[in-house]
Amino acid sequence: MPRDRFDPALSGGTKRSRCPPPRPPSFMTTIDPTAFSTALLAWYDVHHRTLPWRVSPRERAAGLRADPYRVWLSEIMLQQTTVAAVKAYFEKFTLRWPRVEDLAAAPDTAVLAEWAGLGYYARARNLHACARMVAGEYSGRFPETAAALKALPGIGDYTSAAIAAIAFDEPAAVVDGNVERVTSRLEAIEAPLPGAKPLIRAVVEQLTPTERPGDFAQAMMDLGATICTPTKPACVLCPVRPFCTASRAGEAERYPVKQKKKAVPERRGAAFVAVRGDGAVFLRRRPGTGMLGGMSEPPTTSWSARSDGALGAAAAPFPAEWRRVGEIEHGFTHFRLVLEVWRADGEQRPGIEGWWSQPQEIAGEALPTVMRKVLKAAKIVAPAPRNSQSTETRKTAR
DNA sequence: AATTCGTGGCC
DNA sequence: TGGCCAAGAAT
């Protein structure tokens, strides 16, 4: 049974408008922090995952330090993104830009092109801004405390704590989705996320050891990724099962309790793929902020909430012999997009800002996945996302 | 505090 | 197949 101090009624309820300042309640865990981290770290020493940006516990004990640049880069990429998806991108980035100064010196178009396909493109913009701040104002060395790290673009609560703990041995409370799940099961927290975050953080702060805080953080995340999984957790194999209230009650899978989310609406629009005689495709750059900010696209209309028809060739960015060649669907986080795909062939004078991209250049363009779907529907031969240098030097043409 | 930001994999 | 989920941040 969950202890009553985790009753959702206590954390969610109506707020008093008068005197009592809304101070986070001081929850005390009944878990023995020393016993807990000892058991967890012993498991981690044997079962830790081997990842390209990591230093193993053995190497760590031998005095080897993780490279803050690689830790930072991996943490940015891993925000809301799976390890499997990140690996290839991490290799590409570190091969092309081995040090933070190298990344800082790169053109922003090159960074966006390398990031294309990974999603959440504000991360790439912030990544580049952060690299330039570190290279410029910090002499190429990352600040070493969570508080200072958090002041940098793209680095928030989680990432600042993770870098500080992993690269600089600060006993910061590292709370990501894995840790939220593990902790909510340990304490059988009934309050739904995201409201329960302060409570979870309070527990993690008490559990985090001053010795090996980085390994502790990574161990919690590895545990969440391999044992304490969202569905069918392998409690039998869990090194901290003796500490787990939810598992003891046989209902680990019931946690974490989450607030239910709203249904996603649908938006519609049209994309216009102009193809020249030599096979070049007309592309332009999207505005620097907002959805797919700074990324490339064939011209599209705005995406309205279910425009009832009224799209078609009349919405084209410039006159041409447009033919409707298909339709694509793409799911974003908060809406589903349906895009009509129109194509025009032959010599054309777009008369708008943009450039012609040759067939062999398309793979290296900063095209997000949804736009690659559009090109595919327009029967454009586009090899798998690759990385070319061509986007760095290309001038804007018309 | 609630929204706005992508994408791919999985059952 | 469709909802859920993944090392969240910014506003």
mmCIF file of all heavy atoms in Angstrom, chain A residues 341-375:
data_model
loop_
_atom_site.group_PDB
_atom_site.id
_atom_site.type_symbol
_atom_site.label_atom_id
_atom_site.label_comp_id
_atom_site.label_asym_id
_atom_site.label_seq_id
_atom_site.Cartn_x
_atom_site.Cartn_y
_atom_site.Cartn_z
ATOM 1 N N VAL A 341 0.098 16.670 -52.053
ATOM 2 C CA VAL A 341 1.383 16.844 -52.732
ATOM 3 C C VAL A 341 1.142 17.175 -54.196
ATOM 4 O O VAL A 341 0.471 16.429 -54.915
ATOM 5 C CB VAL A 341 2.255 15.577 -52.609
ATOM 6 C CG1 VAL A 341 3.593 15.788 -53.313
ATOM 7 C CG2 VAL A 341 2.479 15.227 -51.139
ATOM 8 N N TRP A 342 1.664 18.331 -54.607
ATOM 9 C CA TRP A 342 1.532 18.791 -55.988
ATOM 10 C C TRP A 342 2.915 18.856 -56.626
ATOM 11 O O TRP A 342 3.902 19.154 -55.965
ATOM 12 C CB TRP A 342 0.872 20.171 -56.047
ATOM 13 C CG TRP A 342 -0.561 20.159 -55.594
ATOM 14 C CD1 TRP A 342 -1.010 20.030 -54.316
ATOM 15 C CD2 TRP A 342 -1.709 20.256 -56.428
ATOM 16 N NE1 TRP A 342 -2.383 20.037 -54.287
ATOM 17 C CE2 TRP A 342 -2.844 20.180 -55.574
ATOM 18 C CE3 TRP A 342 -1.917 20.397 -57.795
ATOM 19 C CZ2 TRP A 342 -4.154 20.248 -56.052
ATOM 20 C CZ3 TRP A 342 -3.213 20.473 -58.275
ATOM 21 C CH2 TRP A 342 -4.327 20.389 -57.407
ATOM 22 N N ARG A 343 2.961 18.565 -57.919
ATOM 23 C CA ARG A 343 4.242 18.573 -58.631
ATOM 24 C C ARG A 343 4.099 19.298 -59.958
ATOM 25 O O ARG A 343 3.061 19.207 -60.625
ATOM 26 C CB ARG A 343 4.720 17.135 -58.859
ATOM 27 C CG ARG A 343 5.912 17.027 -59.806
ATOM 28 C CD ARG A 343 6.540 15.653 -59.822
ATOM 29 N NE ARG A 343 7.570 15.584 -60.866
ATOM 30 C CZ ARG A 343 8.592 14.729 -60.878
ATOM 31 N NH1 ARG A 343 8.716 13.865 -59.888
ATOM 32 N NH2 ARG A 343 9.471 14.734 -61.861
ATOM 33 N N ALA A 344 5.167 20.022 -60.344
ATOM 34 C CA ALA A 344 5.220 20.678 -61.659
ATOM 35 C C ALA A 344 6.588 20.417 -62.271
ATOM 36 O O ALA A 344 7.606 20.505 -61.584
ATOM 37 C CB ALA A 344 4.977 22.178 -61.527
ATOM 38 N N ASP A 345 6.622 20.060 -63.544
ATOM 39 C CA ASP A 345 7.880 19.763 -64.228
ATOM 40 C C ASP A 345 8.195 20.813 -65.291
ATOM 41 O O ASP A 345 7.295 21.488 -65.792
ATOM 42 C CB ASP A 345 7.791 18.377 -64.872
ATOM 43 C CG ASP A 345 7.812 17.276 -63.830
ATOM 44 O OD1 ASP A 345 6.718 16.974 -63.252
ATOM 45 O OD2 ASP A 345 8.893 16.742 -63.545
ATOM 46 N N GLY A 346 9.481 20.912 -65.610
ATOM 47 C CA GLY A 346 9.897 21.796 -66.689
ATOM 48 C C GLY A 346 10.584 23.045 -66.185
ATOM 49 O O GLY A 346 10.781 23.229 -64.977
ATOM 50 N N GLU A 347 10.946 23.898 -67.106
ATOM 51 C CA GLU A 347 11.625 25.141 -66.739
ATOM 52 C C GLU A 347 10.646 26.067 -66.028
ATOM 53 O O GLU A 347 9.496 26.212 -66.439
ATOM 54 C CB GLU A 347 12.171 25.827 -67.990
ATOM 55 C CG GLU A 347 13.262 25.014 -68.664
ATOM 56 C CD GLU A 347 14.335 24.593 -67.671
ATOM 57 O OE1 GLU A 347 14.820 25.454 -66.919
ATOM 58 O OE2 GLU A 347 14.678 23.386 -67.632
ATOM 59 N N GLN A 348 11.131 26.692 -64.931
ATOM 60 C CA GLN A 348 10.231 27.531 -64.149
ATOM 61 C C GLN A 348 10.979 28.713 -63.560
ATOM 62 O O GLN A 348 12.180 28.666 -63.371
ATOM 63 C CB GLN A 348 9.599 26.701 -63.028
ATOM 64 C CG GLN A 348 8.954 25.431 -63.560
ATOM 65 C CD GLN A 348 8.532 24.477 -62.481
ATOM 66 O OE1 GLN A 348 7.886 24.880 -61.533
ATOM 67 N NE2 GLN A 348 8.899 23.227 -62.624
ATOM 68 N N ARG A 349 10.251 29.755 -63.262
ATOM 69 C CA ARG A 349 10.795 30.951 -62.617
ATOM 70 C C ARG A 349 10.062 31.156 -61.311
ATOM 71 O O ARG A 349 9.055 31.863 -61.273
ATOM 72 C CB ARG A 349 10.587 32.178 -63.513
ATOM 73 C CG ARG A 349 11.239 32.078 -64.868
ATOM 74 C CD ARG A 349 12.742 32.350 -64.780
ATOM 75 N NE ARG A 349 13.386 32.171 -66.068
ATOM 76 C CZ ARG A 349 13.790 30.975 -66.522
ATOM 77 N NH1 ARG A 349 13.595 29.888 -65.794
ATOM 78 N NH2 ARG A 349 14.377 30.861 -67.694
ATOM 79 N N PRO A 350 10.535 30.539 -60.258
ATOM 80 C CA PRO A 350 9.819 30.615 -58.975
ATOM 81 C C PRO A 350 9.587 32.057 -58.525
ATOM 82 O O PRO A 350 8.509 32.397 -58.059
ATOM 83 C CB PRO A 350 10.738 29.882 -58.007
ATOM 84 C CG PRO A 350 11.489 28.933 -58.878
ATOM 85 C CD PRO A 350 11.714 29.666 -60.175
ATOM 86 N N GLY A 351 10.597 32.909 -58.639
ATOM 87 C CA GLY A 351 10.427 34.290 -58.210
ATOM 88 C C GLY A 351 10.255 34.453 -56.714
ATOM 89 O O GLY A 351 9.790 35.493 -56.238
ATOM 90 N N ILE A 352 10.581 33.433 -55.956
ATOM 91 C CA ILE A 352 10.556 33.554 -54.495
ATOM 92 C C ILE A 352 11.893 33.071 -53.954
ATOM 93 O O ILE A 352 12.675 32.438 -54.660
ATOM 94 C CB ILE A 352 9.408 32.732 -53.858
ATOM 95 C CG1 ILE A 352 9.586 31.248 -54.207
ATOM 96 C CG2 ILE A 352 8.056 33.251 -54.302
ATOM 97 C CD1 ILE A 352 8.594 30.347 -53.506
ATOM 98 N N GLU A 353 12.128 33.394 -52.703
ATOM 99 C CA GLU A 353 13.385 33.012 -52.071
ATOM 100 C C GLU A 353 13.525 31.491 -52.015
ATOM 101 O O GLU A 353 12.574 30.804 -51.651
ATOM 102 C CB GLU A 353 13.433 33.600 -50.653
ATOM 103 C CG GLU A 353 14.820 33.632 -50.054
ATOM 104 C CD GLU A 353 15.700 34.691 -50.712
ATOM 105 O OE1 GLU A 353 15.159 35.603 -51.384
ATOM 106 O OE2 GLU A 353 16.923 34.602 -50.556
ATOM 107 N N GLY A 354 14.694 30.995 -52.362
ATOM 108 C CA GLY A 354 14.924 29.553 -52.302
ATOM 109 C C GLY A 354 16.057 29.156 -53.211
ATOM 110 O O GLY A 354 16.805 30.021 -53.687
ATOM 111 N N TRP A 355 16.219 27.864 -53.447
ATOM 112 C CA TRP A 355 17.298 27.404 -54.313
ATOM 113 C C TRP A 355 16.894 26.094 -54.984
ATOM 114 O O TRP A 355 15.966 25.423 -54.539
ATOM 115 C CB TRP A 355 18.575 27.197 -53.504
ATOM 116 C CG TRP A 355 18.468 26.083 -52.497
ATOM 117 C CD1 TRP A 355 18.770 24.773 -52.692
ATOM 118 C CD2 TRP A 355 18.023 26.182 -51.145
ATOM 119 N NE1 TRP A 355 18.539 24.045 -51.551
ATOM 120 C CE2 TRP A 355 18.084 24.894 -50.576
ATOM 121 C CE3 TRP A 355 17.583 27.259 -50.339
ATOM 122 C CZ2 TRP A 355 17.705 24.629 -49.254
ATOM 123 C CZ3 TRP A 355 17.217 26.975 -49.025
ATOM 124 C CH2 TRP A 355 17.282 25.687 -48.513
ATOM 125 N N TRP A 356 17.626 25.785 -56.055
ATOM 126 C CA TRP A 356 17.411 24.519 -56.756
ATOM 127 C C TRP A 356 18.411 23.501 -56.232
ATOM 128 O O TRP A 356 19.613 23.732 -56.250
ATOM 129 C CB TRP A 356 17.563 24.705 -58.264
ATOM 130 C CG TRP A 356 16.451 25.512 -58.849
ATOM 131 C CD1 TRP A 356 16.441 26.852 -59.107
ATOM 132 C CD2 TRP A 356 15.164 25.020 -59.250
ATOM 133 N NE1 TRP A 356 15.230 27.236 -59.646
ATOM 134 C CE2 TRP A 356 14.429 26.125 -59.744
ATOM 135 C CE3 TRP A 356 14.553 23.762 -59.242
ATOM 136 C CZ2 TRP A 356 13.117 26.012 -60.214
ATOM 137 C CZ3 TRP A 356 13.257 23.637 -59.718
ATOM 138 C CH2 TRP A 356 12.547 24.762 -60.193
ATOM 139 N N SER A 357 17.898 22.372 -55.788
ATOM 140 C CA SER A 357 18.762 21.341 -55.230
ATOM 141 C C SER A 357 18.879 20.180 -56.204
ATOM 142 O O SER A 357 17.876 19.576 -56.587
ATOM 143 C CB SER A 357 18.188 20.846 -53.891
ATOM 144 O OG SER A 357 19.058 19.926 -53.273
ATOM 145 N N GLN A 358 20.110 19.893 -56.602
ATOM 146 C CA GLN A 358 20.339 18.799 -57.537
ATOM 147 C C GLN A 358 20.033 17.451 -56.866
ATOM 148 O O GLN A 358 20.139 17.341 -55.642
ATOM 149 C CB GLN A 358 21.802 18.818 -58.009
ATOM 150 C CG GLN A 358 22.179 20.057 -58.804
ATOM 151 C CD GLN A 358 21.466 20.120 -60.156
ATOM 152 O OE1 GLN A 358 21.065 19.087 -60.697
ATOM 153 N NE2 GLN A 358 21.284 21.326 -60.676
ATOM 154 N N PRO A 359 19.677 16.462 -57.674
ATOM 155 C CA PRO A 359 19.336 15.147 -57.116
ATOM 156 C C PRO A 359 20.375 14.618 -56.132
ATOM 157 O O PRO A 359 20.020 14.090 -55.075
ATOM 158 C CB PRO A 359 19.243 14.258 -58.350
ATOM 159 C CG PRO A 359 18.835 15.177 -59.447
ATOM 160 C CD PRO A 359 19.489 16.500 -59.144
ATOM 161 N N GLN A 360 21.657 14.779 -56.472
ATOM 162 C CA GLN A 360 22.687 14.231 -55.584
ATOM 163 C C GLN A 360 22.889 15.080 -54.337
ATOM 164 O O GLN A 360 23.581 14.674 -53.417
ATOM 165 C CB GLN A 360 24.010 14.067 -56.344
ATOM 166 C CG GLN A 360 24.695 15.370 -56.714
ATOM 167 C CD GLN A 360 24.204 15.921 -58.058
ATOM 168 O OE1 GLN A 360 23.167 15.466 -58.569
ATOM 169 N NE2 GLN A 360 24.925 16.870 -58.607
ATOM 170 N N GLU A 361 22.278 16.274 -54.299
ATOM 171 C CA GLU A 361 22.411 17.141 -53.128
ATOM 172 C C GLU A 361 21.284 16.950 -52.110
ATOM 173 O O GLU A 361 21.412 17.320 -50.946
ATOM 174 C CB GLU A 361 22.404 18.615 -53.559
ATOM 175 C CG GLU A 361 23.591 19.034 -54.407
ATOM 176 C CD GLU A 361 23.475 20.484 -54.841
ATOM 177 O OE1 GLU A 361 22.344 20.961 -55.091
ATOM 178 O OE2 GLU A 361 24.518 21.147 -54.923
ATOM 179 N N ILE A 362 20.191 16.372 -52.596
ATOM 180 C CA ILE A 362 18.989 16.311 -51.766
ATOM 181 C C ILE A 362 19.221 15.553 -50.458
ATOM 182 O O ILE A 362 18.749 15.955 -49.388
ATOM 183 C CB ILE A 362 17.828 15.681 -52.551
ATOM 184 C CG1 ILE A 362 17.443 16.617 -53.706
ATOM 185 C CG2 ILE A 362 16.618 15.437 -51.657
ATOM 186 C CD1 ILE A 362 16.384 16.061 -54.624
ATOM 187 N N ALA A 363 19.994 14.485 -50.544
ATOM 188 C CA ALA A 363 20.238 13.693 -49.335
ATOM 189 C C ALA A 363 20.907 14.519 -48.248
ATOM 190 O O ALA A 363 20.725 14.259 -47.069
ATOM 191 C CB ALA A 363 21.076 12.472 -49.680
ATOM 192 N N GLY A 364 21.706 15.516 -48.645
ATOM 193 C CA GLY A 364 22.425 16.314 -47.672
ATOM 194 C C GLY A 364 21.685 17.556 -47.218
ATOM 195 O O GLY A 364 22.194 18.331 -46.423
ATOM 196 N N GLU A 365 20.471 17.756 -47.712
ATOM 197 C CA GLU A 365 19.689 18.926 -47.318
ATOM 198 C C GLU A 365 19.123 18.749 -45.910
ATOM 199 O O GLU A 365 18.942 17.628 -45.441
ATOM 200 C CB GLU A 365 18.525 19.149 -48.296
ATOM 201 C CG GLU A 365 18.957 19.393 -49.736
ATOM 202 C CD GLU A 365 19.495 20.812 -49.950
ATOM 203 O OE1 GLU A 365 19.545 21.590 -48.984
ATOM 204 O OE2 GLU A 365 19.864 21.113 -51.103
ATOM 205 N N ALA A 366 18.806 19.860 -45.269
ATOM 206 C CA ALA A 366 18.248 19.817 -43.915
ATOM 207 C C ALA A 366 16.746 19.552 -43.983
ATOM 208 O O ALA A 366 15.930 20.350 -43.527
ATOM 209 C CB ALA A 366 18.537 21.120 -43.185
ATOM 210 N N LEU A 367 16.401 18.426 -44.570
ATOM 211 C CA LEU A 367 14.984 18.094 -44.757
ATOM 212 C C LEU A 367 14.481 17.233 -43.609
ATOM 213 O O LEU A 367 14.977 16.122 -43.403
ATOM 214 C CB LEU A 367 14.806 17.344 -46.080
ATOM 215 C CG LEU A 367 14.958 18.182 -47.347
ATOM 216 C CD1 LEU A 367 15.167 17.279 -48.565
ATOM 217 C CD2 LEU A 367 13.713 19.049 -47.553
ATOM 218 N N PRO A 368 13.492 17.701 -42.873
ATOM 219 C CA PRO A 368 12.911 16.872 -41.829
ATOM 220 C C PRO A 368 12.159 15.695 -42.460
ATOM 221 O O PRO A 368 11.860 15.707 -43.653
ATOM 222 C CB PRO A 368 11.952 17.809 -41.097
ATOM 223 C CG PRO A 368 11.650 18.888 -42.075
ATOM 224 C CD PRO A 368 12.855 19.014 -42.958
ATOM 225 N N THR A 369 11.865 14.712 -41.659
ATOM 226 C CA THR A 369 11.260 13.485 -42.185
ATOM 227 C C THR A 369 9.970 13.742 -42.948
ATOM 228 O O THR A 369 9.725 13.143 -43.999
ATOM 229 C CB THR A 369 11.017 12.501 -41.031
ATOM 230 O OG1 THR A 369 12.281 12.170 -40.450
ATOM 231 C CG2 THR A 369 10.361 11.235 -41.527
ATOM 232 N N VAL A 370 9.147 14.650 -42.420
ATOM 233 C CA VAL A 370 7.863 14.902 -43.092
ATOM 234 C C VAL A 370 8.089 15.407 -44.509
ATOM 235 O O VAL A 370 7.346 15.057 -45.441
ATOM 236 C CB VAL A 370 6.987 15.886 -42.287
ATOM 237 C CG1 VAL A 370 7.671 17.240 -42.118
ATOM 238 C CG2 VAL A 370 5.627 16.060 -42.944
ATOM 239 N N MET A 371 9.144 16.213 -44.710
ATOM 240 C CA MET A 371 9.408 16.739 -46.044
ATOM 241 C C MET A 371 10.022 15.681 -46.962
ATOM 242 O O MET A 371 9.827 15.705 -48.169
ATOM 243 C CB MET A 371 10.313 17.965 -45.952
ATOM 244 C CG MET A 371 9.684 19.120 -45.183
ATOM 245 S SD MET A 371 8.043 19.571 -45.818
ATOM 246 C CE MET A 371 7.445 20.647 -44.507
ATOM 247 N N ARG A 372 10.750 14.759 -46.390
ATOM 248 C CA ARG A 372 11.249 13.647 -47.208
ATOM 249 C C ARG A 372 10.076 12.771 -47.667
ATOM 250 O O ARG A 372 10.097 12.215 -48.763
ATOM 251 C CB ARG A 372 12.287 12.832 -46.440
ATOM 252 C CG ARG A 372 13.573 13.599 -46.224
ATOM 253 C CD ARG A 372 14.674 12.822 -45.547
ATOM 254 N NE ARG A 372 15.759 13.729 -45.188
ATOM 255 C CZ ARG A 372 16.767 14.071 -45.985
ATOM 256 N NH1 ARG A 372 16.847 13.562 -47.202
ATOM 257 N NH2 ARG A 372 17.692 14.911 -45.573
ATOM 258 N N LYS A 373 9.064 12.668 -46.835
ATOM 259 C CA LYS A 373 7.857 11.944 -47.252
ATOM 260 C C LYS A 373 7.210 12.630 -48.448
ATOM 261 O O LYS A 373 6.754 11.976 -49.382
ATOM 262 C CB LYS A 373 6.831 11.897 -46.114
ATOM 263 C CG LYS A 373 7.064 10.831 -45.070
ATOM 264 C CD LYS A 373 5.839 10.751 -44.151
ATOM 265 C CE LYS A 373 6.102 9.900 -42.925
ATOM 266 N NZ LYS A 373 4.931 9.901 -42.016
ATOM 267 N N VAL A 374 7.175 13.963 -48.401
ATOM 268 C CA VAL A 374 6.588 14.732 -49.501
ATOM 269 C C VAL A 374 7.347 14.462 -50.798
ATOM 270 O O VAL A 374 6.742 14.183 -51.838
ATOM 271 C CB VAL A 374 6.606 16.243 -49.187
ATOM 272 C CG1 VAL A 374 6.280 17.066 -50.423
ATOM 273 C CG2 VAL A 374 5.620 16.563 -48.059
ATOM 274 N N LEU A 375 8.682 14.524 -50.727
ATOM 275 C CA LEU A 375 9.479 14.292 -51.929
ATOM 276 C C LEU A 375 9.279 12.875 -52.455
ATOM 277 O O LEU A 375 9.226 12.647 -53.667
ATOM 278 C CB LEU A 375 10.955 14.553 -51.635
ATOM 279 C CG LEU A 375 11.320 16.003 -51.295
ATOM 280 C CD1 LEU A 375 12.824 16.154 -51.176
ATOM 281 C CD2 LEU A 375 10.756 16.965 -52.332
#
